[in-house]
Amino acid sequence: MRLKKFNERSTMEGLKRVVKRFIEQVEMNIEFVQMKRDEAAFSPNDQQSSETFFQLEKRDKTSSYTQYYQSIIDKALGTKQKKLGKCKNNYNTSL
């Protein structure tokens, strides 16, 4: 709720886009989790089945939130590599 209000009041378009995308991803993840809960044929108290379920989900990596998270990590790593490359190029040209 607070993110939605922040997004409505913010005047920074670049930030609004990022926050809006994050809100959409969280909402999609809520639906995904609810669907998985409805499909589960075991009780949350069944530790063995729960653990197996979580292991399969970690390997699957098809949820939209997992893909969104990975895209954020990839973008951050790409930005970091670009900055490192620029620093290295600036160092090499100053020699």
Side-chain angles (χ1 to χ4, degrees):
M1 288 297 278
R2 288 185 182 186
L3 276 177
K4 285 183 180 182
K5 285 185 180 184
F6 168 81
N7 201 40
E8 291 170 4
R9 294 178 182 166
S10 178
T11 58
M12 298 169 37
E13 288 303 316
L15 182 59
K16 284 181 80 161
R17 261 191 315 266
V18 172
V19 171
K20 183 179 181 198
R21 182 168 179 228
F22 178 70
I23 292 169
E24 289 170 352
Q25 290 299 321
V26 169
E27 289 173 346
M28 288 172 57
N29 194 53
I30 291 169
E31 292 174 14
F32 176 79
V33 169
Q34 188 60 47
M35 180 186 69
K36 289 294 186 176
R37 284 181 178 166
D38 292 343
E39 291 174 355
F42 56 89
S43 165
N45 295 332
D46 181 353
Q47 199 69 12
Q48 181 69 32
S49 296
S50 296
E51 196 59 40
T52 302
F53 171 80
F54 288 129
Q55 291 301 321
L56 290 172
E57 284 300 313
K58 283 181 184 179
R59 268 190 251 134
D60 192 21
K61 296 183 181 182
T62 58
S63 78
S64 64
Y65 192 79
T66 301
Q67 293 172 359
Y68 166 73
Y69 179 76
Q70 188 61 50
S71 74
I72 297 296
I73 297 298
D74 292 345
K75 185 175 180 180
L77 289 174
T79 303
K80 185 177 180 180
Q81 288 175 346
K82 285 180 185 177
K83 286 181 180 178
L84 288 174
K86 284 182 182 179
C87 289
K88 189 182 279 187
N89 286 340
N90 288 341
Y91 177 74
N92 289 337
T93 57
S94 66
L95 292 178

